[in-house]
Amino acid sequence: MLNDEESRQLTEKVEAAFQKAAPAPEAPAPAELPGIPVAATSYDRREGWFYQAALVNGSGTTRGTDVQRQDNRHKDVFARVARARGNQRVGAFGYWGKSTLVGATTAGVNDFRRMGVDFNLSLGEPVEIEGVRNSRLNLFGLAAWGNDDNPLGLATLAAEVDHWGGFVEADYLLTPRSLAVLRHDWVRSDDTPELERSAFTGGYSYYVRRNLKIGIEGTFDLRTGGTDTFNLIVDTVF
């Protein structure tokens, strides 16, 4: 996750890139009627197979400096297949789409692709919490590859970028009221090294009541010159 300073610097770079792009013709008016997303899901209870496909609205369009609209000119496609056996699940997914950014003087389209695999495993002896049996160890995560042919959405096509990354997280029930968490996030890109991220996060949570949790969390940035963060957490639901 980017910190405030990194987010500010990245925003400035993107804005500077747009200012250097060649002026674009006036964008076409948005469609009179919004696009309607369509999704289909199928589940084979006997064998545990799960299928999903969807045609969804693409990203919106920005015109000028203070007006934002969703013109729905582009449709994105999502597909996923997974199989579950008891509390164990593995799956694969793909997302193909097109994003458009139109400003006062710039316009660009980015064709992008995302493909990956995911898993969710429940391991260890179950622990009973308020009458519900929960696995002591929950291990889950995903790994994905992405490709963008114009990642900044410039009017003049920019260099194509390939990137891959993912995360893996382990949640371990120490007691019926306390939970330890360890997570690793990473992003890699041979084309754009400044996109790379690598961090470990560890945390401990204690449930004072069903709707009140307190805890501590630390994230250690493994990049050279990275910033480590520590947080005290109080979370409640009414």
Side-chain angles (χ1 to χ4, degrees):
M1 181 179 293
L2 298 177
N3 58 39
D4 293 341
E5 179 62 20
E6 289 174 326
S7 297
R8 182 188 65 78
Q9 293 176 357
L10 183 58
T11 300
E12 290 177 353
K13 290 180 181 179
V14 172
E15 290 176 347
F18 280 123
Q19 291 172 0
K20 293 179 181 178
E26 182 178 354
E32 293 296 327
L33 295 175
I36 301 176
V38 178
T41 300
S42 176
Y43 178 57
D44 183 344
R45 292 181 179 274
R46 185 175 60 181
E47 296 296 332
W49 286 101
F50 176 86
Y51 307 92
Q52 185 177 27
L55 184 67
V56 299
N57 294 334
S59 63
T61 296
T62 301
R63 292 179 172 81
T65 58
D66 57 358
V67 178
Q68 294 187 349
R69 298 177 181 175
Q70 171 67 41
D71 65 10
N72 295 316
R73 286 182 297 156
H74 305 302
K75 296 297 181 184
D76 296 348
V77 177
F78 170 78
R80 184 171 186 272
V81 59
R83 192 176 190 186
R85 285 293 189 183
N87 293 328
Q88 323 305 324
R89 190 204 70 224
V90 294
F93 60 88
Y95 193 104
W96 299 266
K98 187 187 299 286
S99 59
T100 304
L101 177 56
V102 179
T105 59
T106 61
V109 175
N110 175 42
D111 288 295
F112 62 88
R113 294 146 285 279
R114 306 286 186 266
M115 290 184 286
V117 294
D118 61 87
F119 68 95
N120 192 322
L121 307 177
S122 297
L123 308 171
E125 291 295 325
V127 178
E128 186 169 320
I129 303 176
E130 297 184 355
V132 178
R133 294 172 65 84
N134 297 269
S135 297
R136 185 174 289 276
L137 174 62
N138 185 207
L139 183 65
F140 59 97
L142 66 82
W145 166 84
N147 171 270
D148 294 73
D149 68 357
N150 188 13
L152 294 179
L154 302 179
T156 302
L157 195 64
E160 184 175 342
V161 173
D162 285 296
H163 45 89
W164 59 95
F167 76 91
V168 61
E169 178 173 327
D171 296 348
Y172 187 77
L173 278 171
L174 299 169
T175 72
R177 286 183 176 269
S178 60
L179 177 73
V181 175
L182 183 63
R183 177 183 175 113
H184 181 216
D185 296 89
W186 73 92
V187 177
R188 296 284 185 270
S189 175
D190 293 334
D191 303 311
T192 313
E194 56 266 30
L195 290 178
E196 297 192 354
R197 298 288 184 271
S198 183
F200 271 105
T201 299
Y204 170 83
S205 298
Y206 181 79
Y207 290 82
V208 180
R209 300 181 64 84
R210 183 183 300 181
N211 66 336
L212 176 60
K213 178 183 74 174
I214 60 175
I216 187 171
E217 180 182 273
T219 297
F220 304 91
D221 195 328
L222 303 182
R223 298 172 300 164
T224 302
T227 302
D228 300 333
T229 60
F230 298 90
N231 298 291
L232 179 65
I233 300 169
V234 179
D235 192 8
T236 185
V237 178
F238 294 97

